Amino acid sequence: MQLQTHLAIDESLSGRVVRLREGYAQVLLPTHRAMLADRQGLIHGGFLFSAADYAAMAAVNDPNVVLGAAEIRFLAPVRKGETVIFEAEVQSPKGKKRIVKVYAEVDGKRVFEGSFTAFVPDRHILK
């Protein structure tokens, strides 16, 4: 299956899709210096959210998909140099609305979880 959405994403900041199938995506996010929130090595949560959103949109995999809402939890800190693995799965497709569950782990430890509400309009929202 080929990725059909968010093709201009900067993979160095939002991760890279490494697995993709109908209703599912896995995104790998290697963390680095540009993502730091402080001198202790903490990765800013915005980069985790970005990768989770990217995973959710890839799981829907429609060129017009947009995020409508998200309920997320940061469960553990992520440190510079760690690689975060995000998994996203569409739970309930209803018309144009998709609920996507996203989980993320570092070395088998869950660090993030969320529920993303995406919409698939008939045309791009900027048109």
Side-chain angles (χ1 to χ4, degrees), residues 20-98:
L20 187 64
R21 64 176 185 265
E22 184 74 31
Y24 173 86
Q26 185 181 69
V27 168
L28 222 56
L29 179 68
T31 60
H32 52 81
R33 189 178 194 288
M35 299 174 175
L36 287 176
D38 60 30
R39 292 182 182 154
Q40 286 73 40
L42 178 67
I43 297 300
H44 188 280
F47 294 101
L48 302 176
F49 182 85
S50 178
D53 174 60
Y54 185 35
M57 298 306 101
V60 175
N61 203 23
D62 186 283
N64 298 330
V65 65
V66 292
L67 180 64
E71 183 176 323
I72 64 166
R73 290 191 181 100
F74 296 98
L75 304 174
V78 175
R79 293 163 179 80
K80 178 184 151 208
E82 293 180 324
T83 297
V84 189
I85 301 170
F86 291 83
E87 293 193 70
E89 190 166 2
V90 176
Q91 299 292 301
S92 56
K94 293 179 184 173
K96 295 180 185 302
K97 182 178 176 180
R98 308 286 186 279

Side-chain angles (χ1 to χ4, degrees), residues 90-109:
V90 176
Q91 299 292 301
S92 56
K94 293 179 184 173
K96 295 180 185 302
K97 182 178 176 180
R98 308 286 186 279
I99 304 298
V100 185
K101 298 294 182 185
V102 180
Y103 303 97
E105 293 185 349
V106 172
D107 294 328
K109 178 180 181 182

